[in-house]
Each structure stands twice: as structure tokens, then as C-alpha cells.
Amino acid sequence: MSASSGKCTPVTYDRWCPTVTVPHKYMYRDTNMSASSDKDAMESFKEELVRRMKNTKLFPFYGLLAFYYLTYLPFWNYPPVTFSAAFFKALPIWSLAFFVRQNAGVQPSDIFPKDYYSKFVMLGLLISSVGDACLVSRYALFIPGMLAFMIAHGCYLLAFGPSKVPESRIKSLYVLAGVASFCFISDAINSYVMQAIVLCYFVMIFIVGWRAQARYEHTQTYSALFGCLGMLFFMFSDFIIATDKWKSYVPFSEFIVLSFYYMAQFCIAISTEVDEPLERE
């Protein structure tokens, strides 16, 4: 029942479940406030991204990445299977690892940062570069490249905190995405050994993505958000690799794969910068 002095909130009664009906003007106001809040959050995210991208310690990464794209033109075809192609493909990742080391304020006598998160991100980047070099040879060294990336993801899993961070609310979504991705790819793989390797890889990368998401939900910081975005880019890049290799031809696959891969590693690298929780209205 609604019995109060002054203006009352209009109510409607259902025979079984009384409910309060909110006037339309208040609904519109709430919708407008939500849209405004989302717009402010997006603008704040853009400002934070631009601020981090302007960090002069990242300039070597931009230069090396541009050099690799202009020299080996992954827009049109795969790079040649040469030592120089593998070397220059890995260089941008090495520069990101060096950025993480510099950003952590490491003493010259120390190789790795003492900060737990930065240390394992740096290790993950360095081991990823080994996978980069192997995957230049798309057939002979494909399995060693996958194994290297699995180890790198293990480092990222340690960085994101497998036990310290509570579970993500969308854990089931990552489980479903992982199962669907493997089922989509596995029927096109003839070797049971390769199917087992791909299954292990998919399990690893989706677990890391889930933990990155949980870390973001727990901390609500831009750094955690960039780490989460990095893993989403990583999963998309690897899915395109698997689709193009086993399922069906993907136009411009090398360009798509490399672009999302470098974006993924870039986001994970800049996630080592400590910041304050996101502002929310």
C-alpha cells in the first residue's frame, strides 16, 4: 500500500505481486544519467590510453614495429623464413620487455623487476619473443612456437594472480568460449597429438583471460583493464591463426594476427603502470 503525506510515487497493484511503477520522466532521467556516465567513462579511458601511449619509453616500440611492417609487409603475405625476419619480428616485443623493466624502476644491477606483477609480465614478453621467432617458420617450428607461448601465458597467469584474485562473474562465458573455439577448430585437425596440444593451449589462454578479467573486476583500475584487453586481443589473434591454419583461409590473416598480437602485448606491457581505481559516477 502507499500511504504517505505529500506527493506519492504512483503504484499499481497486481493480484499476486504488488509492484511500484516509476513515472516515465524518472525512467528517462535515469537513462540519460546512465548514458552520460558511460560517455564520461569512455572519454576518461581514451585520455588514459593517450597519456600512456605518449610515454617516451614506448617510442622504441613504435619505431621497431613500423620498421618491421614497412620492411616485411605483412599486409600482403607471410614474411620469409629467415633469421633476420625472426629477429626483427621479436624486436618490438623485446622493446616492450625493456619498457616494463624501465617502468618498474629496476636498478642497473638487477635483471628483472622486484615487483611481482612486472617481473612475470616481463618474463612473459621475453618468452613470447621466442614463440615469435619460431612461428616465422610456420610448419617446422609451429609446435615449439606454441609451447613457448604456453609458457609465456603461464607467466601471465602468475602475474594476474591465480589465487589472490576472486573469481570473475563471467567465468562461465570464458568456459563456453573456450569450448566453442576448440570444437570449431578440432574437427579440422587430423593429428590426435596436435589436437591435444591445441586443447592444452586453448585451456591455458582462456584461463589467463578469465583471471585477467577477474583482476579487473576486483581492482577496477585502468592497469587491470589494459591487462584484460590485452588477453582479449591475444585470444582473438590466436583464434585467427588456428582458423587460417586448419579450418579455412582468412584473407590478410598475417596482418590481422600480427596487429592484434602486438596490440595485445602492448596493452599487457602498459598494464604494469600503477594507477588509481577508475572513477565512476
Side-chain angles (χ1 to χ4, degrees):
M1 297 180 66
S2 176
S4 60
S5 59
K7 294 183 179 180
C8 303
T9 300
V11 297
T12 58
Y13 294 140
D14 184 89
R15 180 178 179 182
W16 305 110
C17 181
T19 59
V20 176
T21 301
V22 181
H24 290 294
K25 64 179 181 178
Y26 296 115
M27 293 175 64
Y28 295 151
R29 183 183 301 172
D30 290 344
T31 302
N32 292 334
M33 289 176 63
S34 177
S36 177
S37 178
D38 291 342
K39 184 177 180 181
D40 291 342
M42 181 58 67
E43 289 297 326
S44 179
F45 171 77
K46 290 179 181 179
E47 291 175 2
E48 182 66 18
L49 176 61
V50 171
R51 184 188 70 80
R52 296 193 185 211
M53 290 179 66
K54 288 181 178 179
N55 192 326
T56 56
K57 297 174 184 176
L58 287 168
F59 287 1
F61 168 74
Y62 302 145
L64 292 169
L65 186 62
F67 178 83
Y68 177 77
Y69 270 72
L70 293 174
T71 303
Y72 293 98
L73 300 175
F75 317 97
W76 313 117
N77 208 343
Y78 291 99
V81 184
T82 61
F83 174 80
S84 60
F87 176 76
F88 286 109
K89 184 182 179 183
L91 267 184
I93 304 302
W94 291 347
S95 69
L96 287 178
F98 187 66
F99 162 78
V100 171
R101 184 179 182 276
Q102 283 185 303
N103 203 47
V106 176
Q107 297 296 326
S109 58
D110 296 329
I111 299 177
F112 294 101
K114 293 182 179 180
D115 176 68
Y116 182 88
Y117 183 78
S118 298
K119 177 174 66 176
F120 281 105
V121 167
M122 182 178 174
L123 278 170
L125 288 167
L126 292 174
I127 298 172
S128 293
S129 69
V130 177
D132 284 330
C134 290
L135 290 184
V136 168
S137 178
R138 295 173 296 282
Y139 302 102
L141 297 177
F142 186 81
I143 292 180
M146 284 188 65
L147 294 176
F149 276 112
M150 284 181 65
I151 297 172
H153 288 313
C155 293
Y156 292 147
L157 179 61
L158 291 172
F160 294 133
S163 59
K164 295 180 180 179
V165 180
E167 289 192 1
S168 169
R169 294 191 297 269
I170 59 173
K171 174 184 176 181
S172 57
L173 181 61
Y174 279 89
V175 173
L176 290 173
V179 171
S181 299
F182 178 73
C183 291
F184 176 77
I185 298 297
S186 62
D187 65 338
I189 303 175
N190 299 323
S191 169
Y192 289 112
V193 174
M194 181 58 75
Q195 282 185 345
I197 295 174
V198 172
L199 175 60
C200 292
Y201 186 86
F202 271 50
V203 169
M204 174 62 79
I205 193 170
F206 277 93
I207 286 177
V208 180
W210 159 48
R211 299 317 297 163
Q213 175 72 32
R215 179 172 177 266
Y216 167 62
E217 291 178 6
H218 177 62
T219 63
Q220 292 290 298
T221 62
Y222 283 114
S223 291
L225 176 59
F226 285 121
C228 181
L229 289 175
M231 287 312 305
L232 290 175
F233 291 149
F234 225 130
M235 288 186 285
F236 180 78
S237 174
D238 288 345
F239 181 76
I240 296 298
I241 290 177
T243 301
D244 183 67
K245 183 174 180 62
W246 290 298
K247 196 71 177 178
S248 61
Y249 170 72
V250 178
F252 305 105
S253 60
E254 179 69 1
F255 175 69
I256 296 171
V257 166
L258 281 180
S259 298
F260 277 91
Y261 168 71
Y262 283 123
M263 283 194 295
Q265 298 285 38
F266 173 80
C267 287
I268 294 173
I270 64 175
S271 74
T272 57
E273 183 177 340
V274 179
D275 59 6
E276 299 296 328
L278 276 66
E279 295 182 0
R280 294 183 178 275
E281 294 187 1

